[in-house]
C-alpha cells in the first residue's frame, strides 16, 4: 500500500480521536461544574431554613462528607463541600459560568470578594487562556487594579489607557530586588520569560522585535522592545530604564513614536503608543512634559518583586489620585 495513503489514514484517525477526547473532557468538566454548583445550592438552601446554628451546620456537613466519601470516594471531604458552597454563593447564575475554566479555576475565583472583579477575572482567564497558576498570580498581584482607568472627561476616546498598567510586576524574572541590575539584564530576562511577560502586559499583545534597528538619513536608533496590540491595532514601543524617569527619557520616547509612525506604521494601523518603564516617576516632569498632552505616551513604574498588599495598595492609590487630578 502507498505509504502516503497510510499516513493520511493515520492522520485522519488521530485527529478524530483527539477531537473526541477533547469534547469528552469538556463534557466531563461541564458536568463537574454543574454538579458542584448544585451541591453548593443544596447546602445554602438547607442553611437558609434557619433551623441550625453555624456550629451545628458544620457538624452536619462533616457527617455528610464522611458518608459521601465512603460511597463515592475522594472529592467530597468537608473542605471541598465548603468550596462548593462558596462557589454557589459567588456565582449564583449557572448559565453565566465560563465552561472553559476548571473547578480549580472557580475555587480560586471564589476567593475574590468583589463581585465585579470576580466576573472580570473569570472572563479574562477564559479569553486569555490563563492556567490556574497564572490566575492565582494575577489576582495576587492586583492585575485589574493596576490597569489605568479612563478619566470621565475622556470616556469617548479610544480606551488606550485600559491596556496600560501602573505598576508592572516582574517577579517572575527571579531577579533579586536588593541588587542593581543592568537594563540589558532585565531586558534579556523579559525575553527569556516572554510568555509570562505577554500575560503581564495584557490583552492582545504580540512580540515583534527586541532592539529593533531604525535607520534615518543621519542616524541609527535601537528601540528596546516592540510589540503589536491586535485590539488597539497599533504598535507599542517599550523603553526600559533602571532608574527614575527623566525628561530626556520622555523626549527620546516621543521621538521614537514619531519616527515609528513615519517609517514603520502601516496605513491601517492606529498611531503608535510609547511606554517608558522606570523604577520611579517624577510627576512634575510628567505634568510639564509633552507626555501631559500626548495620549500615546505613558510612563509606568515596574517592580522586580511582588509587593505586599499594603505596598501594592499604596502604589495603586497614588496613581488613582493622580488620574483624578487630570
Amino acid at each position: 500500500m502507498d505509504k502516503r495513503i497510510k499516513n493520511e489514514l493515520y492522520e485522519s484517525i488521530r485527529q478524530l480521536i483527539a477531537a473526541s477526547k477533547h469534547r469528552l473532557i469538556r463534557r466531563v468538566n461541564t458536568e463537574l461544574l454543574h454538579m458542584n454548583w448544585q451541591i453548593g445550592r443544596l447546602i445554602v438552601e438547607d442553611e437558609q431554613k434557619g433551623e441550625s446554628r453555624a456550629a451545628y451546620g458544620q457538624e452536619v456537613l462533616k457527617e455528610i462528607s464522611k458518608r459521601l466519601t465512603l460511597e463515592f470516594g475522594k472529592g467530597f471531604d468537608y473542605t471541598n463541600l465548603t468550596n462548593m458552597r462558596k462557589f454557589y454563593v459567588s456565582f449564583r447564575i449557572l448559565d453565566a459560568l465560563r465552561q472553559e475554566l476548571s473547578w480549580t479555576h472557580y475555587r480560586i475565583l471564589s476567593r475574590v470578594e468583589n463581585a465585579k472583579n470576580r466576573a472580570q477575572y473569570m472572563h479574562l482567564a477564559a479569553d486569555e487562556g490563563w492556567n490556574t497558576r497564572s490566575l492565582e498570580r494575577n489576582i495576587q498581584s492586583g492585575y485589574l487594579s493596576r490597569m489605568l482607568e479612563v478619566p470621565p472627561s475622556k470616556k469617548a476616546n479610544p480606551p488606550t489607557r485600559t491596556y496600560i498598567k501602573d505598576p508592572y510586576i516582574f517577579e517572575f524574572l527571579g531577579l533579586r530586588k536588593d541588587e542593581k541590575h543592568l537594563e540589558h539584564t532585565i531586558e534579556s530576562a523579559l525575553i527569556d520569560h516572554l510568555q509570562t511577560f505577554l500575560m503581564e502586559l495584557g490583552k492582545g499583545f504580540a512580540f515583534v522585535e527586541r532592539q529593533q534597528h531604525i535607520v534615518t538619513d543621519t542616524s541609527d536608533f535601537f528601540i528596546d522592545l516592540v510589540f503589536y496590540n491586535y485590539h488597539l491595532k497599533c504598535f507599542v514601543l517599550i523603553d526600559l530604564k533602571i532608574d527614575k524617569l527623566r525628561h530626556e527619557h520622555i523626549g527620546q520616547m516621543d521621538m521614537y513614536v514619531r519616527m515609528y509612525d513615519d517609517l514603520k506604521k502601516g496605513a491601517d494601523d492606529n498611531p503608535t503608543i510609547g511606554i517608558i518603564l522606570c523604577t520611579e516617576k517624577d510627576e512634575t516632569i510628567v505634568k510639564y512634559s509633552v507626555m501631559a498632552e500626548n495620549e500615546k505616551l505613558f510612563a509606568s513604574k515596574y517592580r522586580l518583586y511582588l509587593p505586599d498588599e499594603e505596598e501594592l495598595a499604596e502604589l495603586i492609590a497614588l496613581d488613582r489620585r493622580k488620574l483624578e487630578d487630570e
Side-chain angles (χ1 to χ4, degrees):
M1 183 183 291
D2 190 330
K3 185 177 181 181
R4 181 180 57 81
I5 296 176
K6 287 195 293 185
N7 287 339
E8 288 178 355
L9 176 61
Y10 166 79
E11 185 60 25
S12 297
I13 294 174
R14 189 197 69 78
Q15 291 180 6
L16 177 65
I17 295 171
S20 296
K21 285 192 172 185
H22 178 72
R23 288 194 298 270
L24 179 60
I25 291 171
R26 289 288 295 271
R27 283 201 296 270
V28 170
N29 183 64
T30 297
E31 285 300 321
L32 177 63
L33 292 178
H34 285 203
M35 179 189 72
N36 290 349
W37 187 90
Q38 294 288 2
I39 291 174
R41 178 182 62 82
L42 291 173
I43 294 171
V44 170
E45 288 178 353
D46 184 70
E47 291 174 346
Q48 289 174 342
K49 293 176 182 178
E51 298 175 356
S52 61
R53 297 185 304 276
Y56 178 73
Q58 290 179 7
E59 291 303 316
V60 170
L61 273 191
K62 288 177 181 177
E63 178 59 29
I64 289 175
S65 71
K66 290 178 183 177
R67 293 169 62 182
L68 289 174
T69 300
L70 283 174
E71 184 169 353
F72 298 104
K74 294 192 298 184
F76 299 97
D77 59 19
Y78 173 75
T79 299
N80 224 12
L81 290 182
T82 58
N83 286 334
M84 294 173 196
R85 177 193 177 281
K86 182 67 172 174
F87 177 39
Y88 172 76
V89 170
S90 300
F91 298 93
R92 292 289 183 139
I93 303 175
L94 181 59
D95 291 341
L97 298 178
R98 295 293 298 267
Q99 306 298 328
E100 307 98 306
L101 302 181
S102 68
W103 167 234
T104 305
H105 280 98
Y106 281 107
R107 280 190 300 165
I108 296 169
L109 287 166
S110 296
R111 302 176 202 149
V112 179
E113 295 299 327
N114 183 286
K116 181 180 177 182
N117 288 351
R118 187 163 60 239
Q120 285 184 282
Y121 277 123
M122 176 182 71
H123 291 301
L124 277 170
D127 293 340
E128 301 300 313
W130 292 349
N131 58 28
T132 54
R133 184 176 179 180
S134 296
L135 173 62
E136 194 153 33
R137 179 264 177 194
N138 288 338
I139 292 173
Q140 187 180 5
S141 68
Y143 184 97
L144 287 175
S145 302
R146 292 185 285 116
M147 295 173 67
L148 296 184
E149 296 177 352
V150 181
S153 61
K154 300 179 181 178
K155 286 289 186 182
N157 293 343
T160 303
R161 301 182 76 107
T162 61
Y163 286 81
I164 312 296
K165 294 191 184 72
D166 195 5
Y168 287 90
I169 307 297
F170 300 148
E171 92 293 346
F172 53 85
L173 301 181
L175 299 176
R176 292 174 60 92
K177 69 176 183 178
D178 55 351
E179 292 182 0
K180 188 73 172 178
H181 300 283
L182 299 175
E183 289 174 6
H184 175 78
T185 302
I186 300 173
E187 184 183 309
S188 296
L190 289 171
I191 296 302
D192 289 343
H193 296 79
L194 185 58
Q195 184 175 359
T196 312
F197 183 30
L198 288 171
M199 179 192 70
E200 172 64 7
L201 286 176
K203 297 189 296 182
F205 281 89
F207 178 62
V208 176
E209 194 171 353
R210 174 190 182 187
Q211 290 294 315
Q212 189 174 75
H213 188 195
I214 304 292
V215 181
T216 68
D217 293 338
T218 58
S219 303
D220 289 56
F221 299 92
F222 294 87
I223 302 174
D224 287 351
L225 298 165
V226 179
F227 295 85
Y228 192 88
N229 189 285
Y230 288 94
H231 295 298
L232 296 173
K233 299 189 186 315
C234 71
F235 288 97
V236 180
L237 314 182
I238 292 182
D239 203 13
L240 183 65
K241 303 300 179 185
I242 58 172
D243 50 11
K244 192 174 182 178
L245 180 70
R246 298 199 301 269
H247 62 86
E248 56 263 35
H249 298 157
I250 299 172
Q252 181 185 51
M253 179 55 81
D254 182 46
M255 180 186 66
Y256 283 167
V257 167
R258 293 171 188 269
M259 192 184 306
Y260 216 88
D261 280 343
D262 185 43
L263 301 175
K264 293 286 189 178
K265 183 176 78 68
D268 297 331
D269 295 327
N270 287 321
T272 303
I273 293 171
I275 305 174
I276 305 168
L277 293 181
C278 52
T279 55
E280 294 298 335
K281 287 193 296 185
D282 186 323
E283 295 303 326
T284 300
I285 290 177
V286 171
K287 183 176 181 180
Y288 294 106
S289 70
V290 293
M291 191 171 285
E293 303 299 328
N294 192 333
E295 295 183 8
K296 299 302 178 182
L297 291 181
F298 297 89
S300 291
K301 298 183 292 294
Y302 68 89
R303 294 290 183 269
L304 297 176
Y305 59 94
L306 183 62
D308 59 32
E309 288 188 26
E310 184 176 342
E311 181 184 357
L312 186 57
E314 185 177 335
L315 285 168
I316 294 169
L318 180 62
D319 284 306
R320 291 295 172 267
R321 287 196 296 271
K322 289 166 186 170
L323 281 174
E324 291 169 1
D325 292 337
E326 291 186 5

